[in-house]
Amino acid sequence: MRRTARARSEAVPDRAEARARMVETHLVARGLRDAAVLEAMGAVPREAFLPADLAAAAYGDGPLPIGAGQTISQPYIVALMIEALALRPGDRVLEVGAGCGYAAAVLARMGAQVFAVKRHAALCEAAGARLAALGFGSVHLRVGDGQAGWPEAAPFDAILVSAAGPDVPRALKDQLRDGGHLVIPVGPPGGQTLLRLTRRGPDRFERTDLGPVSFVPLLRGVGPVEAG
């Protein structure tokens, strides 16, 4: 499946030069070094995950709106969070706050088994169709309460949370395997910190501060069906 995803992602109308510049200017120049992350970021067409009128802005290093009050994170933050997961091919990854599906596509490109949860039904449906069209049909995607995770698919080797809460949900900690990494923004608007938690036993988690960030809030429950 990884080979199919690679071939189809490269068949999308090509902005390879813009992606290469983005990798060098916004990722490598800022200290990111994981070769698998850089390759995936340079291959997945970010413009395909945006409204058509924003495609020209796809490779600037900033967040962009995707509808329903949600955003696609800036490329540097996506790459930073995924690099912090320290993934290996075949790892099982839970993504909470799947948005438009871009980070899930990057993870799948790296060979991860991706389980992505999104609370907004319309955005989730659109992300699923987009991922399938690009050849990432192996991504498991569902509408659900991200704070509850995906217990029947646990344990996960890594968990990526693309929305901020006041603390780390207990359910997500419980679904992380021993030695696995959980990356999540924590804190109030205007004062969030990106954290990496590494599980070191049943109730022990090692914390690493990855710097200040700004994310939409992590909400409970399942949202209504929105246009977009």
Side-chain angles (χ1 to χ4, degrees):
M1 184 64 215
R2 191 181 177 199
R3 186 178 302 157
T4 302
R6 183 184 296 256
R8 291 187 188 175
S9 68
E10 290 174 349
V12 167
D14 199 12
R15 285 186 169 87
E17 196 172 309
R19 288 196 295 275
R21 283 197 305 272
M22 178 265 292
V23 169
E24 289 300 320
T25 303
H26 302 312
L27 309 184
V28 175
R30 296 177 70 179
L32 299 184
R33 293 291 181 264
D34 188 306
V37 175
L38 298 176
E39 189 279 336
M41 293 290 292
V44 174
R46 191 170 185 251
E47 70 276 5
F49 295 86
L50 292 167
D53 62 333
L54 293 176
Y59 297 107
D61 195 41
L64 294 167
I66 57 172
Q70 306 294 296
T71 61
I72 180 174
S73 296
Q74 69 189 88
Y76 172 72
I77 291 295
V78 174
L80 173 67
M81 293 176 76
I82 293 177
E83 183 170 280
L85 296 176
L87 296 177
R88 296 166 298 182
D91 277 355
R92 294 168 65 84
V93 181
L94 172 65
E95 185 196 5
V96 175
C100 59
Y102 176 65
V106 174
L107 292 165
R109 171 80 184 197
M110 294 174 64
Q113 300 179 59
V114 185
F115 298 79
V117 181
K118 180 70 183 172
R119 70 182 296 273
H120 294 279
L123 289 182
C124 187
E125 181 179 353
R130 188 178 296 113
L131 287 164
L134 291 171
F136 298 105
S138 63
V139 173
H140 304 280
L141 188 68
R142 76 175 185 187
V143 178
D145 181 348
Q147 296 197 49
W150 199 321
E152 62 269 34
F156 297 101
D157 299 293
I159 299 176
L160 178 67
V161 184
S162 299
D167 51 27
V168 184
R170 181 73 232 186
L172 299 184
K173 290 182 178 180
D174 290 342
Q175 291 172 37
L176 185 67
R177 72 160 177 83
D178 194 34
H181 302 296
L182 188 163
V183 174
I184 180 173
V186 173
Q192 298 168 2
T193 299
L194 188 63
L195 296 179
R196 180 177 68 185
L197 274 65
T198 304
R199 190 166 196 169
R200 299 302 188 192
D203 292 302
R204 183 171 166 244
F205 293 85
E206 175 185 296
R207 291 192 170 212
T208 303
D209 185 333
L210 301 177
V213 289
S214 179
F215 278 82
V216 297
L218 178 62
L219 303 175
R220 290 190 178 278
V222 176
V225 176
E226 295 96 348

